[in-house]
Amino acid sequence: MDFSVLMLILLLITGAIWGLDRLLLAPGRRRTADELRQAGESDGRAPKESLVVEYARAFFPVILIVFVLRAFIVEPFRIPSGSMMPGLLAGDFILVNKFSFGVRFPGLNLKIIDSGSPKRGDVMVFRYPDDPSINYIKRTIGLPGDRIIYKNKRLFINGVEMPQQLIAPFLMRESGQRLTEMQRWSEDLGGVKHDILKYRSDRDLTLEFRVPEGHYFAMGDNRDRSNDSRFWGYVPEKNLIGRAFLIWFSWDLKSPEKWLGDRILWNRIGTSIR
């Protein structure tokens, strides 16, 4: 179950218990206190509320704050794979701005505030179209109506090639101690510069797409190790969750032999996502 939906259920339960007590039971307790005071058998204080009501009253505001923050403003996610390397690593914990692409009511996926839409180059989190229970993170490449051509590992958007510049060789550590040699490139998506990874290859592969209205074309920065729109299609607007903007914690998943404290990647904490 989605965490925001769970928080909504808890919010409704605690709110209902507290509200019903105030409407139905609290007046009776006050009347009882008044009667006892008039009879000289009490100091006039109302009998205590039940333990269930006491807990509901205590937890309701806490749940409300967490629910509003997580459902409508910002939500944490964990990067599960290396498909967004070199910028994002498996083990990074990120924050996602849920206000960027419109505020949606949890569970119903109903947009209640139209506060924006993805821009080319945004790193977005969305529900995987083939299984909405799974969250994906990729970079926004194509906007509605765009013509995308991916040819020989280069991007062409609406007939314009997106500039790429080779930076250096890159050794990607995979399972165990195995290293895979790749190349690190800088790519410019119409003013949004970011780094990508590619295998050294001269294979001439051409893929062409036309992004439908209300959909987006997404790709991973680790171009040859990403399951993205090239293979399963487009991201519907209704599946958008938000824009990733910050790494708030990072955990080294590739070095289980290290001590726990040594596995925290301190230099990545607080890094902006671009």
Side-chain angles (χ1 to χ4, degrees), residues 13 26 52-53 60 100 117 141 232 236 241 253 255:
I13 292 174
V52 172
V53 174
F60 177 80
S100 296
S117 57
I141 301 297
W232 42 255
I241 294 177
L253 297 180
S255 305

Side-chain angles (χ1 to χ4, degrees), residues 59-180:
F59 283 113
F60 177 80
V62 177
I63 296 173
L64 176 61
I65 292 172
V66 174
F67 171 74
V68 171
L69 285 174
R70 182 147 182 167
F72 303 123
I73 301 175
V74 65
E75 184 172 358
F77 287 89
R78 181 180 68 85
I79 303 298
S81 71
S83 70
M84 286 295 291
M85 290 179 65
L88 293 174
L89 308 178
D92 282 347
F93 292 78
I94 65 171
L95 293 179
V96 173
N97 183 343
K98 303 192 74 172
F99 199 78
S100 296
F101 303 154
V103 177
R104 290 172 170 78
F105 196 81
L108 301 178
N109 204 25
L110 175 67
K111 183 183 286 190
I112 55 179
I113 300 177
D114 189 2
S115 54
S117 57
K119 299 178 178 60
R120 197 183 325 281
D122 282 349
V123 177
M124 64 178 180
V125 175
F126 55 91
R127 295 177 179 85
Y128 178 41
D130 290 344
D131 184 355
S133 67
I134 301 174
N135 296 323
Y136 266 33
I137 180 168
K138 304 293 178 186
R139 189 174 299 276
T140 309
I141 301 297
L143 307 180
D146 280 349
R147 178 170 171 258
I148 308 293
I149 295 178
Y150 188 64
K151 181 177 181 180
N152 198 22
K153 302 190 180 182
R154 289 182 175 269
L155 270 172
F156 298 80
I157 302 177
N158 299 323
V160 178
E161 182 178 358
M162 300 296 103
Q164 292 183 358
Q165 182 177 0
L166 179 62
I167 298 176
F170 184 92
L171 290 177
M172 185 174 71
R173 183 176 178 182
E174 299 190 86
S175 58
Q177 299 297 322
R178 185 163 64 91
L179 298 176
T180 300

